[in-house]
């Protein structure tokens, strides 16, 4: 067994900095959404770097970008992450897994021809910031895109996904050609997006499970009235009822303790004027827990809370489930390979759940999959303040490169 594989620090630093400027609004983070101009610039830049690294570059039917190091076998060990961002996002979420994987393959190219082919991928979409594609790039690779999606999915400006694809030089009719059946393994390097590693001074996290995630939209309908002429005891204020629901839901999950989390981050109040008692309020619920039964018990409690508050305030409530995903366990064999790589590289590590959802959770349903985390300074993410030290980026990418060497160059893995 060979020793650790080290990635080039200067190369990776250049990748992080230059990709991080594509789609950046100074002082307000990144706005790199599926198929927009910044996304296309990132695609073109990645293809240029792939060529410079001596890899074979290509773009599939949905815009996933690949860099390939051919092996003696056509079976593929894949690494990578997504290249799109949330609105006002940071430089590292998704992007580090892409450029870290590229730096890893650039280093591994110096080791000769692997037994199994190695590829790095920049997945076209994970964040659903423009279209509600929900892992569109990964779903395309797994053959999970519905035929009507390109014409059904529409962005905030009314542009259909199919139209956006054509503007980016892609053909919606070719989507089925993106499906892959040659993948033996998928490894994803990612920032933690929390502060566990940073607080504990641990250098690498080995993800054991990605949480069960549910998104719901709660709509509360009361009675719209005059703000001055309607006595407080006669009001059916939709917002006050919704606000009480949100606070009681938050207290419920706080009482459950870590790792349960809930966020009510999107709000709409109608008509939204100072002189009118709101007749409608709508808010989102994002609930996560790595154990599905616990998540589902919390959902039942949330339903009960909303019904009780609605009855107390004499309003109506409707709950629509927008997303309901099962937890995803990472592959034990790949985690063992990552642990060996951690030991070889001489870095500290801990096993942990992921708080966030990732492409890996969907990939794991079809392909052996594992994830590794590097620290996020202050736990900041989905924010322009998102930051990971270059030394941590290099350390994580080197662990990744070492694990990829084990998987692709050693026929026994």
């Amino acid at each position: 067994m060979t020793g650790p594989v080290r990635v080039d620090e200067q190369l990776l630093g250049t990748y992080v900095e230059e990709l991080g400027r594509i789609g950046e609004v100074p002082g307000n983070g990144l706005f790199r959404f599926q198929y927009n101009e910044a996304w296309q610039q990132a695609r073109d830049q990645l293809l240029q770097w792939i060529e410079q690294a001596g890899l074979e570059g290509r773009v599939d039917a949905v815009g996933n970008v690949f860099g390939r190091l051919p092996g003696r076998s056509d079976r593929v060990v894949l690494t990578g992450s997504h290249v799109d961002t949330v609105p006002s996002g940071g430089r590292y979420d998704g992007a580090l897994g892409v450029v870290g994987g590229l730096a890893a393959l650039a280093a591994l190219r110096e080791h000769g021809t692997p037994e199994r082919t190695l590829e790095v991928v920049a997945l076209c979409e994970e964040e659903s910031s423009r279209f509600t594609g929900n892992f569109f790039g990964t779903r395309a690779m797994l053959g999970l895109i519905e035929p009507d999606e390109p014409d059904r999915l529409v962005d905030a400006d009314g542009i259909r996904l199919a139209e956006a694809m054509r503007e980016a030089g892609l053909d919606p009719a070719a989507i089925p050609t993106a499906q892959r059946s040659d993948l033996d393994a998928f490894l994803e390097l990612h920032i933690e997006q929390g502060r566990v590693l940073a607080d504990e001074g641990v250098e690498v996290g080995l993800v054991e499970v990605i949480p069960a995630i549910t998104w719901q939209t709660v709509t509360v309908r009361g009675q719209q009235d005059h703000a001055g002429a309607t006595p407080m005891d006669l009001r059916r204020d939709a917002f006050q009822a919704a606000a009480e629901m949100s606070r009681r839901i938050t207290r419920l999950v706080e009482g459950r303790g870590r790792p349960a989390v809930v966020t009510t981050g999107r709000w709409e109040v109608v008509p939204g004027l100072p002189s009118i008692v709101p007749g409608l309020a709508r808010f989102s619920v994002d609930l996560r827990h790595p154990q599905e039964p616990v998540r589902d018990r919390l959902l039942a409690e949330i339903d009960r809370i909303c019904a009780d508050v609605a009855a107390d305030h004499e309003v109506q409530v409707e709950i629509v489930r927008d997303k309901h995903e099962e937890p995803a366990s990472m592959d034990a064999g790949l985690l063992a390979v990552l642990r060996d790589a951690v030991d070889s590289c001489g870095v500290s590590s801990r096993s942990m759940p992921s708080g966030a959802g990732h492409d890996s959770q969907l990939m794991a349903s079809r392909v052996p999959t594992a994830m590794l985390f590097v620290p996020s300074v202050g736990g900041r993410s989905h924010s322009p303040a998102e930051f990971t030290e270059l030394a941590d980026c290099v350390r994580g990418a080197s662990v990744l490169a070492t694990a990829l060497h084990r998987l692709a160059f050693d026929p026994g893995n």
Side-chain angles (χ1 to χ4, degrees), residues 33 36 129-131 153-161 163-164 167:
F33 307 151
N36 73 0
S129 296
R130 183 179 181 187
F131 303 98
L153 298 181
V154 179
D155 71 7
D157 295 321
I159 298 173
R160 296 185 184 278
L161 186 142
E163 180 183 350
E167 290 177 354

Side-chain angles (χ1 to χ4, degrees), residues 128-177:
S128 294
S129 296
R130 183 179 181 187
F131 303 98
T132 54
N134 195 20
F135 308 129
F136 198 81
T138 297
R139 290 197 299 119
M141 293 175 66
L142 300 181
L144 300 177
I145 304 295
E146 297 294 332
D148 67 337
E149 286 190 57
D151 290 315
R152 175 166 51 83
L153 298 181
V154 179
D155 71 7
D157 295 321
I159 298 173
R160 296 185 184 278
L161 186 142
E163 180 183 350
M165 289 185 72
R166 294 187 186 98
E167 290 177 354
L170 302 167
D171 179 7
I175 287 176
T177 66

Side-chain angles (χ1 to χ4, degrees), residues 61-194:
V62 296
N64 294 325
V65 178
F66 295 90
R68 183 179 178 95
L69 178 59
R72 293 184 176 87
S73 166
D74 288 335
R75 301 300 301 176
V76 174
V77 175
L78 180 68
T79 189
S81 193
H82 59 96
V83 74
D84 65 319
T85 73
V86 297
S88 193
R91 292 184 169 193
Y92 298 84
D93 178 7
L96 179 61
V98 175
V99 296
L102 178 54
L105 262 63
L108 288 168
R109 183 173 175 271
E110 303 303 318
H111 289 247
T113 302
E115 294 297 321
R116 286 192 282 192
T117 293
L118 282 165
E119 287 189 4
V120 58
V121 61
L123 294 159
C124 67
E125 187 276 331
E126 190 256 16
E127 300 288 6
S128 294
S129 296
R130 183 179 181 187
F131 303 98
T132 54
N134 195 20
F135 308 129
F136 198 81
T138 297
R139 290 197 299 119
M141 293 175 66
L142 300 181
L144 300 177
I145 304 295
E146 297 294 332
D148 67 337
E149 286 190 57
D151 290 315
R152 175 166 51 83
L153 298 181
V154 179
D155 71 7
D157 295 321
I159 298 173
R160 296 185 184 278
L161 186 142
E163 180 183 350
M165 289 185 72
R166 294 187 186 98
E167 290 177 354
L170 302 167
D171 179 7
I175 287 176
T177 66
Q179 186 172 353
R180 300 287 295 269
S181 59
D182 57 347
L183 303 180
D184 280 352
F186 178 62
L187 294 181
E188 184 174 8
L189 169 66
H190 210 280
I191 59 169
E192 181 194 347
Q193 300 180 276

Side-chain angles (χ1 to χ4, degrees), residues 192 194-202 258 350 375-379:
E192 181 194 347
R195 53 184 295 172
V196 173
L197 295 176
D199 284 355
E200 295 184 359
V202 177
R258 298 182 182 184
R350 62 160 288 170
S376 298
V377 173

Side-chain angles (χ1 to χ4, degrees), residues 8 17 34 44 46 56 98 100 134 142-143 176 180 201 215 235 262 280 284 310 318 326 346 365 390:
D8 187 302
E17 287 299 315
Q34 186 180 12
D44 295 344
L46 287 167
E56 297 176 359
V98 175
N134 195 20
L142 300 181
R180 300 287 295 269
W215 286 0
R235 297 183 179 197
V262 70
L280 181 145
S284 62
E318 177 188 13
E326 298 178 356
S365 67
L390 179 57

Side-chain angles (χ1 to χ4, degrees), residues 3-6 340-341 344-345 397-407:
V5 179
R6 306 290 187 186
D340 287 344
S344 180
C345 292
S398 295
V399 171
L400 174 67
T402 304
L404 292 172
H405 189 280
R406 305 276 200 274
L407 292 170

